[in-house]
Amino acid sequence: MLKVDPRKRRGKMSAFAFFVQTCREEHKKNPEVPVNFAEFSKKCSERWKTMSGKEKSRPGTAASADKVHYDREMKDYGPAKGGKKKKDPNAPQRPLSGFFLFCSEFCPEIKSTNPGISIGDVAKKLGEMWNNLNDSEKQPYVTKVAKLKKYEKDVADYKSKGKLDNAKGPAKVAWEKMEEEEDEEEEEKEDE
């Protein structure tokens, strides 16, 4: 599901949208009349087409003011904080799957037998070859992956050490600065 930033404004409204909004407000004044959205939209559209340029200027003025306001807000708008996390270069790498081990073995063979083949076609052929293998033929690649599973141990070690021990990111720098300031304050108190 797509995450929507609640701070981001929906968009600028057109002159016609302001006109329809005005029609809706007029229609709300008479609540006894039922509203059929399709008919309401047709009537607004027909009315808009028959309006003169002078009559259209009022919603047009509101639309241009909204555009200026929207542009000003979007100039100051930045994406939501905490978007995509940056990967720690010290983090252990996940091992390849059995399929990718298979691909790394057979990709050069396919390229040599079919010179000038596109990357997409190579991937399709590799996928077909993998799907045509039975479980016993896939077994060597699956066992290689099992041997590479020291990844879980590496991740556990990495998490137990803590990310801040190896990296000197902003949090680590701020923490060290705070500790230095506390040490300086303690020294000043001792000198007094």
Side-chain angles (χ1 to χ4, degrees), residues 92-95 145-159:
Q93 280 193 322
R94 184 181 304 267
V145 170
K147 289 178 184 175
L148 295 173
K149 286 293 183 180
K150 85 176 196 100
Y151 170 75
E152 280 85 19
K153 181 182 177 288
D154 291 344
V155 168
D157 291 344
Y158 174 74
K159 287 182 178 178

Side-chain angles (χ1 to χ4, degrees), residues 171-184:
K172 179 75 170 181
V173 172
W175 183 260
E176 289 175 351
K177 186 176 181 181
M178 187 178 73
E179 288 178 335
E180 288 174 4
E181 290 173 356
E182 289 176 355
D183 292 342
E184 290 174 6

Side-chain angles (χ1 to χ4, degrees), residues 70-82:
Y70 174 81
D71 290 341
R72 190 175 343 112
E73 281 186 6
M74 291 310 291
K75 184 178 77 174
D76 297 335
Y77 170 76
K81 292 187 178 182

Side-chain angles (χ1 to χ4, degrees), residues 13-186:
M13 287 177 56
S14 66
F16 179 71
F18 275 104
F19 171 71
V20 171
Q21 190 176 31
T22 306
C23 290
R24 243 188 255 129
E25 289 169 3
E26 288 174 6
H27 193 72
K28 284 181 183 177
K29 291 178 183 175
N30 192 1
E32 294 95 32
V33 179
V35 178
N36 181 347
F37 182 74
E39 290 177 23
F40 178 76
S41 297
K42 282 182 184 178
K43 286 180 183 177
C44 285
S45 176
E46 290 170 4
R47 191 170 155 197
W48 177 258
K49 289 176 186 174
T50 59
M51 288 174 66
S52 68
K54 189 174 183 179
E55 292 173 314
K56 289 181 180 180
S57 68
R58 186 168 176 226
T61 306
S64 60
D66 185 55
K67 180 186 181 322
V68 169
H69 183 70
Y70 174 81
D71 290 341
R72 190 175 343 112
E73 281 186 6
M74 291 310 291
K75 184 178 77 174
D76 297 335
Y77 170 76
K81 292 187 178 182
K84 189 174 180 181
K85 290 184 179 179
K86 294 192 177 191
K87 188 173 179 180
D88 184 3
N90 299 327
Q93 280 193 322
R94 184 181 304 267
L96 296 176
S97 67
F99 172 69
F100 282 108
L101 290 173
F102 171 81
C103 289
S104 65
E105 187 175 316
F106 285 96
C107 185
E109 184 180 312
I110 291 175
K111 285 183 179 179
S112 65
T113 58
N114 302 311
I117 190 171
S118 71
I119 295 170
D121 291 335
V122 171
K124 284 180 187 176
K125 285 191 182 246
L126 288 168
E128 289 171 6
M129 288 171 64
W130 178 258
N131 288 333
N132 292 334
L133 294 178
N134 60 30
D135 289 339
S136 63
E137 293 171 325
K138 290 181 182 180
Q139 192 58 42
Y141 303 104
V142 175
T143 55
K144 281 183 186 178
V145 170
K147 289 178 184 175
L148 295 173
K149 286 293 183 180
K150 85 176 196 100
Y151 170 75
E152 280 85 19
K153 181 182 177 288
D154 291 344
V155 168
D157 291 344
Y158 174 74
K159 287 182 178 178
S160 68
K161 288 180 184 176
K163 295 175 185 167
L164 295 179
D165 292 345
N166 307 6
K168 227 181 177 163
K172 179 75 170 181
V173 172
W175 183 260
E176 289 175 351
K177 186 176 181 181
M178 187 178 73
E179 288 178 335
E180 288 174 4
E181 290 173 356
E182 289 176 355
D183 292 342
E184 290 174 6
E185 289 177 8
E186 286 178 19

